[in-house]
């Protein structure tokens, strides 16, 4: 007996060669029961009157004949002819990248755009003049956008877009308006992740819209149609807004009855793919079986002649090679179909989801693995690569724009299948090489879309709000209840709902972290092939260059939304910490544990260290530093070359890769910090609403009954403010559970400690300290501010284990470096002084400052009193005043 055949990742070449050989030698050795086997796999063909007995000699001919009959029966040609009539343009519909207004960032497939101008306008490359047509816009943001239709004669500017001219019609869900020269109230407020359906009936001259499948009514009923009038899908976006459009290249999410997509649906290919995947699915139980030998397998299936309810099974013997030959014929028909994105999303994705058990998302999915193995074996490289590209695009689109439910059902489903893809070695390598960061925005897989207002109302029926002053003294609480007892109960219910949401979100985050961990694998490099970790690192550095808030790039909008960057930071950081802990356990004597890790200074100046772009260093330009401190660098390299500490001096590729990813995490925070601050602004806005509500209630209590008109207006104001506070209370619940949660606070605190240790150890390298990027100091200052002022008081800073040590080290850093001569950027020095001034504004932090060594405090005061150019005198005075206010009372009490 020969060994059982079980294809593995990377086994493609060997298996392909094996099948080629076996095909030539086993043709006349097929079992006599072959006809019965074909009956089990192809019952529709075998039951046909015109069908001959299927053999390996005529199987291809019979499949072609059956496919042709199926297409003819579906009358695909007639439907296709009807679709073509009424539109003009190429078969593949996408954005016209030549005729547009403003500056755009366009996705590789020309179906996604981001506006980089004040008000940019773009249209499709296809127009309609007769019939009923529809396309879908998937919102990547929720700002000012005007979506609709226009004619070829419409002239737009960066002030006037779609709907601002005659013969152009638009809907803006941000301002709740419809536009056709004049504007009127219309529609619902849209949110990020919504799918807006834009429909035009050229026969009766109407334009209508839907939001997530909910019909918003006719927006316009006076659209001019007839000879010479043809309309292009068109949209205008304000700065930074981004969308993705489906003209029909994939199935519509919310099709409208009687309306057709602009891109023709491949009906004939759909029939072929559906039929061939049915055959392929019948082969799956045997392809995934591990108990079968090479000579024979047991083919199990329900006897078609016994009815679907029968449990009687037929057993037939067939060689494993013969089974693979049948599979090759089936996939030969499927391979070209899988190069069509519509077929992949409509058929293949549906098949994979059926075999992907997302109730246990982290468990292995052997059927999915074997399907991928089979595809890699039988499809040509360009076919499987195109298939995987289309599959990744569909998965990201479905994940990004699926509605949010109470249990995040859709999101868990698509993330689980994505995890299966990246666990497969061959698929992961190709996706990393050419798709994840090149064709799609991979970090969006790591983002969790917030629910809309209706879903938040279901998640948080009871709302509770607490206003806390800057001195951490509670001033006022508010809830949807009235009595004190009910208010306590409301707080308990509110926080229980927050914890439930946090648990559900954590399930998604666990899957996302596992996806990242797959991309950090360092054990999958073969021969000259790069490891997943090294490929991911290259893509990550390119991503950072495009999304850095420093240097010249700060003048350009980020290519990735801030909420996505923040989620990317947390998932990458969590995955890195887990990978480092595992790696450190293998080298406990040479590598620091996760609580003591830092970035060694030599990575900032060694030739084989980090390759930055235009990042400014603490000591100035890196070219100047290389010339000035060339001898110091050489001396340091000679001094460390003999060190036995693997962490400080090592040629281990995995260690270098992990350290560079840690450096990338620090740089990534520099962009994510804006989103961290933005959420605190939303909380402060709610505090202002609560103060206004309290003042309105007080006025209402004081208002005499003799002034009914005044009381009526105050009642209206109170209701408006209450409704606004309830909405913001629910939004803050999402922030509390997902963004300002305790584990997210711990992530930022840990990163703050890493940067503190990096700056501290690098500072001991004398002049080489100047090679440290300025971003490290900026991240250190902002991260401490984030956990003490942005996360706090939503997540209490003092609940963080180790907050005292962190505060002491931060105080020592700002005191030691605000006047450090090795830091040449005066603006950065001023930022350190401002952080010191802010630090002194809190009594609890002043006690920490008092505990610093006397000689360091003395040098600090001297530096504060010593004038130099560009000194921030206001901040200096604040610091000195705070020190004086603390010390003078103590001296007086001693006397």
């Amino acid at each position: 007996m020969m060994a059982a055949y079980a294809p593995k990742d990377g086994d493609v070449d060997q298996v392909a060669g094996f099948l080629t050989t076996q095909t030539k030698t086993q043709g006349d050795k097929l079992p006599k029961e072959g006809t019965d086997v074909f009956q089990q796999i192809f019952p529709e063909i075998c039951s046909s009157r015109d069908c001959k007995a299927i053999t390996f000699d005529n199987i291809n001919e019979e499949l072609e004949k059956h496919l042709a009959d199926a297409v003819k029966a579906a009358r695909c040609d007639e439907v296709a002819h009807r679709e073509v009539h009424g539109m003009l343009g190429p078969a593949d519909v996408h954005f016209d990248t030549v005729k547009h207004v403003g500056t755009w960032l366009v996705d590789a497939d020309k179906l996604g755009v981001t506006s980089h101008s004040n008000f940019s306008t773009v249209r499709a490359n296809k127009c309609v003049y007769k019939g009923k047509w529809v396309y879908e816009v998937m919102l990547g943001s929720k700002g000012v956008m005007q979506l609709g239709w226009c004619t070829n004669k419409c002239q737009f500017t960066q002030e006037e877009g779609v709907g601002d001219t005659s013969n152009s019609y638009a809907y803006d869900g941000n301002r709740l308006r419809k536009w056709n020269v004049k504007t009127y109230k219309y529609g619902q407020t849209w949110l990020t992740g919504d799918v807006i359906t834009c429909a035009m009936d050229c026969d009766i001259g109407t334009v209508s819209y839907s939001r997530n499948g909910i019909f918003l009514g006719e927006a316009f009923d006076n659209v001019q149609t007839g000879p010479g009038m043809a309309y292009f899908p068109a949209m205008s976006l304000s700065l930074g807004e981004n969308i993705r459009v489906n003209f029909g290249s994939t199935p519509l999410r919310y099709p409208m009855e009687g309306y057709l997509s602009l891109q023709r649906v491949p009906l004939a290919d759909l029939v072929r793919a559906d039929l061939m995947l049915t055959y392929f699915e019948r082969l799956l139980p045997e392809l995934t079986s591990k108990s079968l030998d090479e000579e024979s397998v047991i083919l199990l299936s329900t006897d078609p002649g016994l009815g679907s309810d029968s449990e009687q099974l037929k057993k037939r013997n067939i060689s494993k090679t013969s089974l693979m030959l049948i599979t090759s014929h089936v996939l030969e028909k499927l391979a070209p179909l899988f190069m069509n994105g519509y077929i992949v999303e409509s058929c293949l994705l549906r098949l994979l989801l059926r075999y992907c058990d997302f109730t246990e998302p982290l468990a292995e999915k052997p059927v999915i693995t074997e399907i991928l193995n089979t595809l890699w074996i039988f499809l040509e490289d360009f076919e499987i690569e195109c298939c995987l590209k289309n599959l990744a695009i569909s998965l990201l689109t479905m994940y990004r724009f699926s509605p949010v439910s109470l249990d995040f059902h859709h999101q868990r489903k698509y993330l689980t299948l994505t995890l299966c893809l990246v666990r497969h070695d061959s698929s992961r390598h190709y996706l990393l090489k050419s798709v994840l960061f090149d064709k799609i925005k991979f970090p969006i897989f790591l983002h969790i879309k917030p629910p809309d207002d209706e879903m938040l109302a279901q998640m948080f029926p009871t709302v509770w709000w607490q206003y806390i002053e800057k001195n951490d003294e509670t001033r006022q609480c508010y809830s949807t209840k009235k009595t004190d007892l009910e208010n306590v109960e409301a707080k308990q219910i509110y926080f229980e709902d927050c914890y439930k949401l946090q648990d559900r979100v954590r399930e998604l985050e666990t899957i996302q972290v596992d996806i990242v961990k797959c991309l950090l694998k360092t054990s999958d490099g073969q021969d000259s092939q790069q490891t997943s970790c090294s490929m991911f690192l290259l893509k990550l550095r390119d991503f950072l260059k495009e999304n850095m808030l420093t240097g010249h790039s700060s003048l350009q909008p980020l290519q990735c939304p801030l909420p996505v960057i923040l989620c990317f930071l947390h998932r990458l950081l969590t995955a890195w910490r887990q990978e480092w802990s595992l790696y450190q356990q293998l080298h406990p004597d040479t590598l620091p544990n996760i609580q003591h890790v830092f970035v060694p200074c030599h990575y900032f100046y060694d030739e084989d260290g980090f390759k930055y772009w235009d990042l400014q260093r603490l000591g100035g330009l890196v070219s100047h530093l290389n010339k000035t401190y060339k001898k110091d660098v050489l001396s340091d390299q000679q001094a460390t070359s003999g060190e036995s500490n693997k962490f400080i001096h090592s040629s281990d590729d995995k260690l270098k890769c992990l350290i560079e990813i840690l450096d990338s995490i620090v740089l990534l925070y520099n962009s994510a910090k804006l989103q961290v601050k933005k959420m605190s602004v939303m909380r402060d806005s709610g505090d202002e609403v609560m103060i206004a509500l309290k003042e309105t209630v007080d006025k209402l209590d004081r208002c005499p009954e003799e002034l009914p008109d005044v009381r009526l207006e105050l009642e209206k104001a109170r209701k408006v403010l209450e409704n606004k506070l309830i909405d913001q209370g629910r939004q803050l619940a999402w922030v509390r559970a997902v963004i300002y949660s305790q584990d997210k606070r711990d992530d930022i605190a840990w990163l703050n400690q890493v940067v503190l240790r990096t700056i501290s150890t690098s500072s001991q390298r004398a002049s080489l300290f100047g090679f440290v990027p300025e971003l490290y100091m900026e991240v250190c200052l902002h991260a401490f501010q984030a956990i003490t002022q942005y996360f706090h008081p939503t997540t209490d800073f003092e609940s963080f284990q180790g907050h005292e040590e962190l505060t002491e080290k931060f105080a020592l850093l700002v005191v030691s470096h605000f006047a450090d001569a090795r830091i040449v950027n005066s603006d950065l020095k001023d930022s350190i002084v401002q952080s010191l001034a802010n630090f002194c504004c809190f009594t609890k932090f002043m006690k920490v400052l008092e505990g610093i060594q006397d000689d360091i405090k003395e040098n600090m005061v001297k530096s504060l009193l010593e004038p130099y150019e560009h000194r921030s005198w206001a901040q200096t005075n604040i610091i000195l005043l705070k020190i004086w206010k603390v010390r003078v009372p103590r001296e007086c009490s001693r006397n």
Side-chain angles (χ1 to χ4, degrees), residues 631-675:
K631 293 182 178 180
D632 294 345
V633 171
L634 184 60
S635 299
D636 180 78
Q637 291 173 342
Q638 293 174 347
T640 58
S641 61
E643 292 185 7
S644 60
N645 191 330
K646 179 180 179 180
F647 181 59
I648 301 298
H649 188 80
S650 173
S651 58
D652 186 346
D653 290 336
K654 180 172 182 177
L655 177 60
K656 289 181 178 179
C657 194
L658 288 174
I659 293 297
E660 190 163 0
I661 291 177
L662 178 59
D663 171 73
S664 300
I665 293 173
V666 176
L667 303 185
L668 188 61
Y669 177 82
N670 190 61
S671 297
K673 66 184 182 184
L674 294 182
Q675 184 67 11

Side-chain angles (χ1 to χ4, degrees), residues 6 29 32 43 165 168 189 377 404 410 457 492 645 669 707 833 873-874:
K29 297 182 180 180
K32 297 179 181 180
T165 66
S168 68
T189 302
I377 290 171
V404 175
H410 298 292
Q492 181 179 355
N645 191 330
Y669 177 82
L707 300 174
V833 172
W873 283 106

Side-chain angles (χ1 to χ4, degrees), residues 38 68 221 247 276 311 329 340 603 688 710 714 720:
F38 288 126
D221 57 7
F247 296 116
M276 297 310 297
E311 295 183 358
H329 281 287
N340 186 317
Y603 281 97
E688 294 173 0
V710 176
L714 288 174
V720 170

Side-chain angles (χ1 to χ4, degrees), residues 43 49 135 167 202 262 289 362 388 474 529 639 673 748 787:
R49 295 180 179 179
Y135 70 95
N167 296 324
C202 297
L262 275 76
S289 175
L362 301 185
L388 286 174
T474 302
Q529 188 180 43
K673 66 184 182 184
I748 305 302
I787 58 179

Side-chain angles (χ1 to χ4, degrees), residues 2 207 302 306 353 376 452 590 595 677 715 760 847 851:
M2 297 179 65
V207 170
T302 302
L306 298 176
L353 289 173
W376 275 98
D452 59 18
T590 56
Q595 298 302 328
K677 182 177 181 180
E715 281 286 355
S760 177
K847 295 178 181 179

Side-chain angles (χ1 to χ4, degrees), residues 152-163:
N152 190 42
K153 296 180 180 179
C154 292
Q155 299 295 320
F156 302 115
T157 67
Q158 291 196 36
E159 285 73 37
E160 293 186 342
V162 180

Side-chain angles (χ1 to χ4, degrees), residues 693-705:
L693 176 60
K694 178 67 168 57
E695 293 174 350
T696 302
V697 172
D698 291 341
K699 291 178 183 179
L700 190 59
D701 292 340
R702 297 194 307 268
C703 184
E705 297 289 343

